[in-house]
Amino acid sequence: MDRIVILGNGFDLAHELETSYNHFIKYVINESINSNDEIRKDLIDPSYLNDEDCTYEAIKSKLNQLSSASEKPSSGRLFFKNKFFRALLTTYFHADWINIEDYYFRYLQNISDINVLNSEFELVKKHLEKYLLIQMKEFDKKNYNSKLIDIFDMDSPENILFINFNYTSTLNLYLDKITYPSNITVINIHGELNSEKNPIVFGYGDDTNPKYLDLVNKKNNHYLRNLKRQQYNLTVEYDKMKEIMSNMNNEIEVLTMGHSLGLSDKTLLKEIFDHNKVSKIKFIYHEGISGYRNLNDNISRIVNRNTLNNKIVNFPNSIKMPQQPIKAG
């Protein structure tokens, strides 16, 4: 048997890394309050707020009340430098990354100035990357979770292909501790932090959506800049993934670990799950049966009927995601 392990943001969260969208928003607001000049210039400036409102909790609870309707600074109001970030924050103060990518896609369909949106979106990506680099620097002090090694090793696979949807390098803690496979490969499919060769991919990835085709038919390439399928062709990771899967000689078991299986990654996930060599898909779920059911429902929007009926492992034979790091040694 060969194994593919799909890693999403839940993998980082299980290691107590603060890598969720909610963590990022809290960081941006607090940094803007603490006079981070770059964030104030690129995203949001709270310096015009009254002192009692210039706190994260006040902004969170009174965002609409404190947001200025003007494009110019006004006393007692938040001043947004980035229209997309403003629209994002007022729509989703709390969400998952998959919601944000879906929202970007909907926003993209109705934008009048695509060049402004692309520029503003790049600024959000820039500050996200900076934030995650801070998180990884702090993560150097943490230890791995030995229970995860047991999951990677179970049933002694001959080969493991890790398809990492995260930008972080959390997985590196485990690569020299996995026992059984003769070959371990890592595909950082959404890029790596601070990498020119494999820059981060952030956008939308369901090219079966009719609205996706509408954007293609606009005949304006700027609308396609943050569609994932276009971005995959800028590096070798996507082709490496396809080549490795085609060269696997055994049946493939897929483990999903910390990925929500949302539509924002539909095209790529469908290619993996519906592959003729994949015989089993097992969810490493979070939050009990409700977490399993969410994954089971989400995957039904991605895969074909044969995959849905014959490949997905039932809840009693699935595995709960280990959450607390266990110190090595």
Side-chain angles (χ1 to χ4, degrees), residues 111-124:
I111 194 70
S112 58
D113 192 333
I114 184 59
N115 293 320
V116 170
L117 173 59
N118 284 345
S119 176
E120 291 181 339
F121 194 62
E122 285 302 315
L123 290 174
V124 174

Side-chain angles (χ1 to χ4, degrees), residues 63-215:
L63 179 65
N64 290 332
Q65 178 184 337
L66 296 175
S67 297
S68 173
S70 172
E71 294 187 5
K72 296 181 179 180
S74 56
S75 179
R77 294 289 183 266
L78 279 171
F79 181 38
F80 285 92
K81 302 294 186 69
N82 186 309
K83 292 180 182 178
F84 173 73
F85 185 74
R86 173 183 176 158
L88 183 63
L89 200 60
T90 53
T91 305
Y92 286 113
F93 202 98
H94 297 289
D96 295 323
W97 286 117
I98 205 76
N99 302 123
I100 306 313
E101 292 181 318
D102 286 344
Y103 178 73
Y104 166 77
F105 182 63
R106 296 197 304 274
Y107 193 89
L108 180 63
Q109 295 163 36
N110 299 305
I111 194 70
S112 58
D113 192 333
I114 184 59
N115 293 320
V116 170
L117 173 59
N118 284 345
S119 176
E120 291 181 339
F121 194 62
E122 285 302 315
L123 290 174
V124 174
K125 287 168 61 177
K126 179 185 80 171
H127 288 287
L128 172 61
E129 185 167 20
K130 287 187 174 184
Y131 173 68
L132 293 176
L133 285 166
I134 293 170
Q135 288 298 302
M136 289 312 300
K137 186 176 293 186
E138 295 177 355
F139 179 70
D140 291 342
K141 304 172 185 176
K142 300 180 184 292
N143 286 304
Y144 67 89
N145 189 329
S146 61
K147 291 183 178 179
L148 288 171
I149 300 173
D150 295 338
I151 293 175
F152 298 147
D153 275 345
M154 67 180 180
D155 301 324
S156 309
E158 289 187 29
N159 301 283
I160 294 183
L161 169 61
F162 287 98
I163 302 177
N164 184 21
F165 282 76
N166 299 324
Y167 311 122
T168 57
S169 56
T170 317
L171 176 62
N172 290 350
L173 287 178
Y174 296 91
L175 298 180
D176 62 350
K177 300 177 179 68
I178 299 170
T179 304
Y180 290 103
S182 59
N183 187 42
I184 298 173
T185 309
V186 178
I187 301 292
N188 293 304
I189 195 66
H190 279 175
E192 303 168 66
L193 297 174
N194 206 25
S195 171
E196 292 185 8
K197 184 178 179 181
N198 191 19
I200 67 172
V201 173
F202 188 48
Y204 190 76
D206 175 13
D207 62 11
T208 66
N209 189 319
K211 297 293 185 181
Y212 191 110
L213 297 179
D214 289 344
L215 294 176

Side-chain angles (χ1 to χ4, degrees), residues 254-271:
V254 176
L255 305 183
T256 72
M257 186 175 289
H259 196 295
S260 65
L261 309 184
L263 291 176
S264 185
D265 287 318
K266 177 180 177 178
T267 300
L268 180 58
L269 292 174
K270 182 177 179 62
E271 187 160 359

Side-chain angles (χ1 to χ4, degrees), residues 23 27 62-63 81 130 141 158 250 276 282 294 328:
H23 289 132
Y27 159 80
K62 299 193 295 181
L63 179 65
K81 302 294 186 69
K130 287 187 174 184
K141 304 172 185 176
E158 289 187 29
N250 305 304
N276 58 9
K282 182 177 289 187
N294 283 336

